[in-house]
């Protein structure tokens, strides 16, 4: 069977596909405006941080997500209630070096400075 058929057979058997070898880096634009719509002002910046984490968990498939200090400062830069509408993030899935870690992989979120968000889309970064 071909590679795609093997994956399909593995999925039918109920085996989970391993992501240990999938050390990958991608850039995404996260629209915080739609995720914070209707939230009370004093909870907007903390909610923005957790929404970026939630987005990274879904995109990269790891529960261990770490936010870079620069990204955190950018989210809080205009205070607790005036969060940036969009933010460009680089999500890097990395191998966890701790021996007693629950997961083999974690995701690192870093800020990407862009002039405009128009037409950038999702990009895979080759390392």
């Amino acid at each position: 069977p071909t590679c795609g058929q093997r994956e399909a057979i593995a999925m039918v058997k109920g085996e989970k596909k391993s992501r240990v070898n999938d050390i990958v880096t991608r850039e995404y634009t996260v629209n915080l405006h739609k995720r914070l719509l209707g939230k009370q002002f004093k909870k907007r910046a903390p909610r923005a941080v957790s929404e970026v984490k939630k987005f990274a968990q879904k995109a990269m498939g790891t529960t261990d997500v770490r936010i870079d200090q620069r990204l955190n400062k950018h989210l809080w830069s205009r205070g607790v209630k005036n969060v940036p509408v969009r933010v460009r993030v680089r999500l890097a899935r990395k191998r966890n070096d701790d021996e007693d870690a629950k997961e083999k992989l974690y995701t690192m979120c870093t800020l990407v400075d862009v002039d405009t968000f128009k037409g950038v889309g999702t990009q895979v970064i080759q390392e």
Side-chain angles (χ1 to χ4, degrees):
T2 63
C3 183
Q5 288 174 332
R6 263 191 235 112
E7 281 184 19
I9 291 168
M11 286 181 173
V12 168
K13 288 182 179 175
E15 297 170 15
K16 283 183 78 177
K17 190 178 164 200
S18 176
R19 281 194 211 78
V20 176
N21 297 329
D22 298 348
I23 307 300
V24 69
T25 303
R26 292 189 210 109
E27 278 187 11
Y28 293 95
T29 301
V30 182
N31 185 351
L32 294 171
H33 184 259
K34 71 176 184 182
R35 291 173 169 87
L36 299 175
L37 196 68
K39 295 291 171 262
Q40 71 187 58
F41 286 150
K42 293 298 177 187
K43 293 186 179 174
R44 279 183 172 226
R47 180 66 175 247
V49 174
S50 62
E51 287 292 337
V52 168
K53 278 188 171 187
K54 196 163 85 173
F55 179 88
Q57 283 179 355
K58 190 173 179 184
M60 292 305 209
T62 62
T63 54
D64 185 5
V65 176
R66 301 170 193 181
I67 300 277
D68 183 46
Q69 188 178 355
R70 248 182 88 225
L71 174 58
N72 188 48
K73 282 197 190 286
H74 179 73
L75 293 174
W76 282 88
S77 63
R78 295 196 230 158
V80 72
K81 67 180 183 179
N82 297 316
V83 177
V85 174
R86 285 181 184 84
V87 66
R88 186 85 176 154
V89 292
R90 179 172 288 158
L91 303 181
R93 194 188 299 135
K94 297 182 177 182
R95 195 168 277 115
N96 211 340
D97 293 332
D98 294 338
E99 293 294 321
D100 54 335
K102 291 177 186 172
E103 284 200 42
K104 293 188 176 97
L105 299 169
Y106 71 93
T107 303
M108 190 69 199
C109 303
T110 52
L111 178 69
V112 179
D113 292 322
V114 287
D115 296 330
T116 180
F117 294 102
K118 303 274 188 207
V120 283
T122 301
Q123 296 174 344
V124 179
I125 309 296
Q126 302 297 328
E127 291 180 358

